[in-house]
Amino acid sequence: MSIFSLKNPVAIKRWQRFKRSRRGYYSAWLLLLLTALSLGAELLANNRALLVHYQGQWYFPTYSNVYSGEQFGLDYAYEVNYRDLQQHFADQDEGNWLLMPPIPFGPLETDLIAGDFPPHASSLATQHYLGTDTSGRDVAARLLYGFRIAILFSIALLILNYGVGVAIGCLMGFWGGAFDLIFQRIIEIWSNVPFLYVIMIVASIITPGFWTLLLIMAFFGWTGMTWYMRTATYKEVARDYVMAARALGASGSRIMFRHILPNSVSTLVTFVPFSVASGITSLTVLDFLGFGLPPPTPSWGELLKQGTENLESLWIVGSVVVAMTVILMLVAYVGEAIRDAYDPKQFSYYE
Amino acid sequence: MSKIVASLLLVLFANLCALPAQAGLPEALPADLQWQTNNEDPIFASPDAKRGGRFRTFVTTFPLTLRLVGPDSNGSFASFLRANDLGLVGLHPNTLKPIPELATHWAFGDDGHSIFYRLDPDARWSDGEPVTADDYVFALSFMRSKFILAPWYNNYFSEVITEVVKYDDHTIGIAGSVAKPADEMLFDLSLSPVPEHFHILDENWVRDYNWRIEPNTGPYQISEVRKGKYVEFTRKADWWANNKRYFQYRFNPEHIRVKVIRDINVAYQYFRKGELDNFPLLMPRFWHKKAQGEIYEQGYVAKIKFYNDVPQPINGLFLNEDAPPLDDKRVRYAIAHALNVQKVIDTVLRGDYERMQTANEGYGDYTNTHIRARRFDLAKADQYLTEAGWSERGPDGIRVKDGQRLSIRVTYYSSGHNDRLVILAQEARKAGIELALNLLDGSTAFKQILENKHQAAWMAWSGAGLSPRYWEFYHSDNAHKPQTNNVTNTDNPQMDEKIMAYRTATDKVTRVKLAHELEQMVYEQGSYIPTFKVPYTREAYWRWLKLPAFHGTRTSDQLFSPMGGSGGLFWIDEAAKRQIEDLKDKGQPLPPAPLLEIDETWKLN
């Protein structure tokens, strides 16, 4: 099965080769599935019901405005607690009912179990399948939402880094000369700025949000890509087809976008999965150190920190370590498969 | 600091004599002084104490300097240095009366703000030099010097202590700027001497003296510094105060090693292995979850919970009245009613902490015990907010008024408080108030708060002294300007009037009455919401550490503090140490096992 009809024979060959590495192929699907699931996290882990059937009316609270308790016949004006409401409907037995998501807890919601102090161990009875953290928030819910933030963050970071890095790298290779020399020096200086310290300084002055953090990291992250693009461009510019295009009067931008970039894209593509992995790790590291996203944002790093501080509550550290290992492994397998697909050598002979 | 004082300093160096007495202190010692001392109070140490051994404790960061003043000198390590820097008089930890330290007698001038001290002729610096009146005169010029780069000290020793006069080698007079009750002034003006023979004050002082070990008057002196690793103190071989009434049987370990362990969880592992002698267990997480296992069950390590009676830190949420919508008293009241402090205590704090009722608790008679903090009450919060025009709720359940959401930014600086604030924020949503949590690192948070750029500050001011302080927190002199402690920007003329009356009153009855009225006004103002208090200390310790039978004193905030006013009461039993290590190797218990002691001697009911 092919999801998109490839016309380019080289691309078809690569796609087939990618599929042939089973491990990478299935990892890619699994990763896509997990990402898709996390995009719909509200439907999987939420303290709001998926649907409520009350007095003949249907309600879909997941993405709607807040419904107060009064709207469902309870006596308070703040947001209704759907888990209690479910119980209430069951006690009333008037034909009202509601359906909760598989994990009936939101990522920010503290659920405190009477007679026990958080962190609560995992149990089926309380529906905390992976237990709770030190404030009584559901670990599974926080993992899921934390994954969504991490993956979106690293994809956005990737786009920014590659956008800037590829543009500057290409120009360095295409124009060469003084532009190339000056930018090489700038990049050498830039990549020696200890970016973790910069983040720490910024985080101590302001509380970094998602976009601030993204911009800071992109600010220091674009340099890595330039070297590869610069060499790839240099290599391609010297080729005959570029000369031919020039002779036919093609403009610089046309040569870059129509000829050079498609021919050097293989360099880019092989790096993508590893960049995604490093984006996730960077965010986790920063959250772990407390310089990342502000609380109460669900994040893996923050869970990891709690876990290492409370090693006796193994379910916290266990969940997050397993989740991280699985995701990073999947990404690595995909990366491996892509690398193999783009490798012109089918077999390596060792003599 | 002004040039006048600087040039005065030069004069001082030239003449090595006291400042010429201005109005304030008489030129000659008044003849009719009533000299007082205190050798009647019970001693608060155990005669069974044994000298010797090495006490091992930790700090989380290595000190940036060994200076007592100047840049970077106010870190967690400073308390060790200050504890060895005795003052003129001390405070008896149980009776709260003054006791002699470097002064044997004291007398009050009749103008209400001067005190005369008779120095103990035995007092010696650690290098053997006698402590004389000149060291006190020098202390004042030292603290006023611009070379020490310490504006707070410059200010305090100019504004609060105005003059120090030497009458002879062992008699001095000190004048304060405002009249106060005698017992308070005694401590406020009890300055520590500075060794004149050690310091050369010039523009390089801060750099040159950064790692130099200053002679001190206390029982210990630094004997070894391993940068980044540890600092070791050794007890002076022949400390001058060994046999003084209130110093005997105290400060027993021969060595104190202060190790740097950057992470408290790692530090706990050191303790478990027996490489630290004691461990503070105030944090609920440690007391309930971590402090378990074989070392406790076998009785090698004991746990103790000791109630004390000390001024409580002013802990809570401070609302900035200059930041709308907090300028509306009703909104402030509503926030107080929307904070479910009790739920936090009952859940993440495991019922360990208690609700603080009002700003100043633990000041004896001064504490107004009739005030009750506003309780979590959604109906009241709703009523106040509706009155204030915040009756509508937006699509997310948060109240809106003229297109503004009722969102309050809470600035705080301790990530350990995340879970407390998360619960408060979740509960406040029920009242339609959003608490946006803004965690910053300590210095940035203080900067923001002291520049009045905060809306609500989640913080604590240390409680100190013998009576509550109001001027710095609530007087309009300190409102609407940066770098003051009036972080709520309270600006209330009636309060100002009372605060000034309180500051100038010198008899205790009036001051207590005013303090109670002021405390009530703070409550009415509603810009400070009290949260928690912890009226005890909790520790775990290896049982080779021995405590006196009474465990600690009324004001012991730690039982194993090796130095300081009520510290140095424990001792190390080397024989017991060998025995415990031996039992541990064999896996046999040490009865009684496990050992948990709860001492409620000083518990307030």
Side-chain angles (χ1 to χ4, degrees):
Chain A
M1 182 202 91
S2 167
I3 34 169
F4 26 69
S5 49
L6 291 168
K7 290 194 184 68
N8 181 336
V10 180
I12 291 172
K13 205 170 187 112
R14 281 175 182 164
W15 173 244
Q16 283 167 344
R17 245 190 262 161
F18 177 73
K19 271 172 44 176
R20 214 173 304 147
S21 116
R22 317 280 326 143
R23 197 165 64 177
Y25 183 66
Y26 289 126
S27 296
W29 277 113
L30 196 56
L31 207 55
L32 275 174
L33 178 75
L34 286 173
T35 311
L37 281 180
S38 78
L39 291 179
E42 280 83 0
L43 301 166
L44 294 173
N46 202 338
N47 49 354
R48 293 183 176 183
L50 293 172
L51 62 133
V52 182
H53 183 251
Y54 177 67
Q55 296 182 344
Q57 295 271 358
W58 294 95
Y59 298 86
F60 302 93
T62 309
Y63 296 105
S64 71
N65 289 351
V66 169
Y67 290 116
S68 70
E70 289 158 348
Q71 282 169 288
F72 297 117
L74 297 170
D75 58 352
Y76 51 85
Y78 50 89
E79 180 168 17
V80 66
N81 180 327
Y82 290 96
R83 291 188 305 273
D84 293 355
L85 187 66
Q86 193 169 22
Q87 195 55 51
H88 176 72
F89 284 169
D91 296 343
Q92 274 187 327
D93 199 26
E94 292 172 2
N96 300 323
W97 58 273
L98 59 82
L99 177 69
M100 288 302 285
I103 300 168
F105 298 97
L108 307 180
E109 178 197 29
T110 53
D111 177 51
L112 298 153
I113 297 158
D116 182 24
F117 295 109
H120 307 296
S122 45
S123 96
L124 290 175
T126 56
Q127 293 186 290
H128 288 296
Y129 305 114
L130 297 177
T132 74
D133 71 358
T134 50
S135 341
R137 295 172 299 198
D138 187 77
V139 171
R142 287 184 74 78
L143 270 183
L144 183 64
Y145 284 80
F147 173 66
R148 174 164 74 181
I149 289 172
I151 197 92
L152 291 180
F153 182 89
S154 70
I155 290 170
L157 184 64
L158 179 105
I159 292 168
L160 278 177
N161 276 346
Y162 282 34
V164 178
V166 168
I168 294 196
C170 263
L171 289 175
M172 282 163 73
F174 191 70
W175 287 336
F179 181 85
D180 184 23
L181 275 176
I182 291 168
F183 255 96
Q184 278 186 49
R185 301 295 85 80
I186 290 176
I187 290 167
E188 279 161 11
I189 294 167
W190 211 239
S191 41
N192 277 309
V193 174
F195 113 97
L196 195 61
Y197 286 105
V198 175
I199 297 247
M200 285 179 186
I201 292 163
V202 172
S204 67
I205 297 166
I206 54 163
T207 309
F210 184 89
W211 296 107
T212 341
L213 209 56
L214 190 66
L215 286 176
I216 300 169
M217 287 178 78
F219 203 61
F220 292 97
W222 58 268
T223 52
M225 216 48 232
T226 49
W227 300 120
Y228 302 108
M229 282 315 295
R230 175 178 167 270
T231 40
T233 313
Y234 263 128
K235 199 173 82 183
E236 298 298 330
V237 162
R239 292 264 171 100
D240 292 345
Y241 69 87
V242 175
M243 197 88 74
R246 275 221 176 105
L248 289 170
S251 67
S253 62
R254 185 183 166 88
I255 292 174
M256 284 241 288
F257 287 111
R258 299 299 301 268
H259 300 290
I260 295 178
L261 261 183
N263 279 310
S264 49
V265 81
S266 61
T267 329
L268 277 182
V269 171
T270 49
F271 277 107
V272 166
F274 301 103
S275 303
V276 170
S278 85
I280 295 178
T281 340
S282 316
L283 185 66
T284 307
V285 165
L286 285 175
D287 283 336
F288 178 79
L289 295 172
F291 298 108
L293 299 168
T297 315
S299 91
W300 286 11
E302 189 250 9
L303 265 178
L304 199 55
K305 188 178 171 66
Q306 284 195 25
T308 47
E309 282 173 1
N310 299 281
L311 281 172
E312 62 283 344
S313 311
L314 263 178
W315 57 90
I316 305 178
V317 75
S319 311
V320 70
V321 166
V322 168
M324 278 215 67
T325 315
V326 167
I327 295 297
L328 295 179
M329 225 163 58
L330 293 180
V331 173
Y333 289 154
V334 175
E336 214 177 30
I338 291 179
R339 203 188 50 210
D340 288 348
Y342 275 89
D343 192 348
K345 289 201 204 73
Q346 281 269 38
F347 308 103
S348 298
Y349 296 100
Y350 297 101
E351 295 177 3
Chain B
M1 202 170 72
S2 68
K3 283 188 176 150
I4 303 169
V5 181
S7 56
L8 269 180
L9 269 179
L10 295 175
V11 173
L12 272 175
F13 277 108
N15 300 331
L16 288 180
C17 69
L19 282 164
Q22 302 143 354
L25 285 170
E27 299 218 8
L29 190 67
D32 55 351
L33 290 175
Q34 301 284 319
W35 290 101
Q36 307 171 18
T37 185
N38 176 1
N39 288 313
E40 294 76 48
D41 280 359
I43 64 167
F44 49 92
S46 165
D48 305 334
K50 296 193 190 85
R51 288 272 165 81
R54 173 178 275 112
F55 178 71
R56 297 151 311 162
T57 182
F58 76 100
V59 285
T60 50
T61 50
F62 194 80
L64 296 168
T65 175
L66 297 178
R67 283 181 276 99
L68 274 162
V69 292
D72 305 322
S73 62
N74 202 3
S76 56
F77 184 79
S79 58
F80 289 94
L81 297 169
R82 289 186 191 140
N84 278 299
D85 200 34
L86 301 182
L88 285 156
V89 289
L91 182 72
H92 191 289
N94 290 339
T95 64
L96 305 186
K97 288 184 186 152
I99 51 176
E101 272 193 11
L102 287 167
T104 54
H105 294 78
W106 47 93
F108 297 96
D110 44 21
D111 58 355
H113 51 87
S114 58
I115 306 191
F116 302 90
Y117 293 96
R118 237 184 241 160
L119 308 181
D120 191 327
D122 300 337
R124 292 284 177 280
W125 293 107
S126 36
D127 53 6
E129 293 284 323
V131 181
T132 64
D134 294 323
D135 294 314
Y136 293 89
V137 174
F138 175 73
L140 190 70
S141 50
F142 175 87
M143 292 298 184
R144 288 176 176 182
S145 160
K146 69 175 196 293
F147 298 133
I148 64 171
L149 303 184
W152 188 89
Y153 284 94
N154 289 168
N155 180 18
Y156 187 88
F157 285 87
S158 312
E159 303 282 317
V160 179
I161 297 182
T162 51
E163 199 183 357
V164 177
V165 170
K166 165 184 175 178
Y167 292 108
D168 62 45
D169 268 358
H170 295 112
T171 315
I172 56 171
I174 299 181
S177 56
V178 285
K180 281 189 167 184
D183 54 349
E184 281 190 43
M185 198 164 52
L186 190 57
F187 297 105
D188 282 354
L189 305 187
S190 163
L191 75 155
S192 295
V194 175
E196 194 181 6
H197 59 278
F198 175 75
H199 290 282
I200 297 168
L201 273 176
D202 55 21
E203 61 274 8
N204 299 325
W205 181 84
V206 165
R207 196 189 62 207
D208 293 352
Y209 284 78
N210 202 49
W211 296 110
R212 287 191 60 184
I213 296 163
E214 187 186 38
N216 63 23
T217 50
Y220 291 96
Q221 181 59 300
I222 294 177
S223 53
E224 193 183 356
V225 178
R226 278 282 183 87
K227 284 199 186 153
K229 295 250 186 281
Y230 62 82
V231 176
E232 178 145 307
F233 290 85
T234 300
R235 201 176 195 288
K236 292 173 188 170
D238 187 15
W239 185 43
W240 67 271
N242 268 340
N243 299 319
K244 302 284 173 190
R245 178 178 173 85
Y246 299 109
F247 285 132
Q248 54 187 348
Y249 315 126
R250 290 173 63 194
F251 314 115
N252 302 304
E254 190 59 31
H255 304 281
I256 291 162
R257 177 166 293 193
V258 185
K259 208 172 157 50
V260 175
I261 305 173
R262 291 175 201 285
D263 180 302
I264 191 155
N265 298 296
V266 176
Y268 182 72
Q269 298 305 329
Y270 273 90
F271 170 70
R272 261 191 45 200
K273 287 169 109 173
E275 292 177 28
L276 290 174
D277 293 302
N278 75 310
F279 199 85
L281 294 177
L282 259 184
M283 288 168 94
R285 184 163 59 86
F286 277 90
W287 179 257
H288 294 276
K289 286 246 168 172
K290 285 220 165 201
Q292 286 167 1
E294 196 198 7
I295 52 173
Y296 299 92
E297 281 147 26
Q298 296 284 44
Y300 312 140
V301 171
K303 286 192 260 191
I304 182 164
K305 181 175 184 178
F306 179 87
Y307 282 86
N308 52 21
D309 176 19
V310 290
Q312 288 293 329
I314 308 167
N315 224 325
L317 193 66
F318 294 78
L319 307 177
N320 179 359
E321 294 180 26
D322 284 354
L326 298 171
D327 48 350
D328 187 331
K329 192 186 280 189
R330 292 164 303 191
V331 174
R332 299 199 298 266
Y333 286 1
I335 292 174
H337 284 302
L339 288 191
N340 198 344
V341 176
Q342 198 54 45
K343 183 168 181 181
V344 175
I345 293 174
D346 293 342
T347 55
V348 290
L349 299 175
R350 299 161 184 264
D352 282 3
Y353 293 15
E354 294 175 19
R355 177 76 203 256
M356 197 157 180
Q357 305 295 354
T358 181
N360 294 291
E361 294 195 30
Y363 290 94
D365 301 340
Y366 287 101
T367 301
N368 183 338
T369 51
H370 302 294
I371 298 177
R372 286 282 162 272
R374 292 183 177 84
R375 293 292 185 262
F376 180 68
D377 185 338
L378 291 173
K380 276 191 178 155
D382 184 54
Q383 184 192 330
Y384 282 123
L385 287 171
T386 309
E387 274 174 33
W390 293 91
S391 50
E392 293 293 309
R393 282 185 188 241
D396 55 357
I398 300 297
R399 290 171 192 259
V400 286
K401 176 182 169 186
D402 311 331
Q404 285 284 320
R405 293 169 75 246
L406 184 47
S407 173
I408 308 292
R409 190 162 38 83
V410 179
T411 302
Y412 69 111
Y413 47 84
S414 169
S415 60
H417 289 189
N418 283 352
D419 39 14
R420 305 174 190 186
L421 282 155
V422 163
I423 290 176
L424 288 180
Q426 190 187 329
E427 292 290 303
R429 283 190 89 85
K430 293 182 178 174
I433 301 170
E434 177 179 70
L435 299 181
L437 306 183
N438 181 12
L439 171 66
L440 297 169
D441 89 329
S443 53
T444 317
F446 279 115
K447 190 167 183 299
Q448 187 194 84
I449 293 165
L450 290 175
E451 288 173 1
N452 292 327
K453 289 176 181 160
H454 62 293
Q455 275 191 299
W458 174 267
M459 63 189 301
W461 297 92
S462 63
L466 296 165
S467 62
R469 299 158 295 168
Y470 292 103
W471 179 79
E472 62 187 79
F473 292 120
Y474 304 109
H475 196 283
S476 63
D477 281 357
N478 296 319
H480 327 301
K481 55 173 84 154
Q483 306 303 333
T484 70
N485 289 357
N486 187 348
V487 297
T488 56
N489 287 306
T490 300
D491 180 353
N492 175 340
Q494 288 109 351
M495 267 180 101
D496 285 1
E497 207 176 301
K498 272 220 186 342
I499 289 170
M500 290 328 282
Y502 174 76
R503 281 189 95 185
T504 48
T506 55
D507 77 294
K508 191 169 170 182
V509 178
T510 315
R511 277 173 61 83
V512 165
K513 181 173 160 288
L514 287 166
H516 285 206
E517 288 166 8
L518 277 165
E519 204 67 33
Q520 185 62 35
M521 286 172 123
V522 170
Y523 172 80
E524 302 292 343
Q525 197 73 20
S527 48
Y528 160 71
I529 303 168
T531 52
F532 318 110
K533 61 177 176 188
V534 187
Y536 53 78
T537 175
R538 288 192 302 209
E539 317 220 16
Y541 62 98
W542 285 88
R543 280 171 63 191
W544 54 69
L545 291 189
K546 301 290 176 191
L547 285 169
F550 46 81
H551 298 126
T553 67
R554 178 179 186 171
T555 51
S556 293
D557 51 355
Q558 300 168 32
L559 296 175
F560 296 98
S561 104
M563 316 165 180
S566 61
L569 305 185
F570 68 94
W571 64 97
I572 299 171
D573 186 335
E574 297 282 356
K577 188 167 179 175
R578 283 191 295 276
Q579 184 204 358
I580 290 172
E581 281 168 350
D582 190 42
L583 288 172
K584 203 170 152 220
D585 290 342
K586 292 179 187 157
Q588 292 168 346
L590 170 69
L595 178 59
L596 166 66
E597 293 164 292
I598 296 181
D599 184 323
E600 299 192 344
T601 314
W602 301 102
K603 187 176 182 179
L604 293 172
N605 294 321

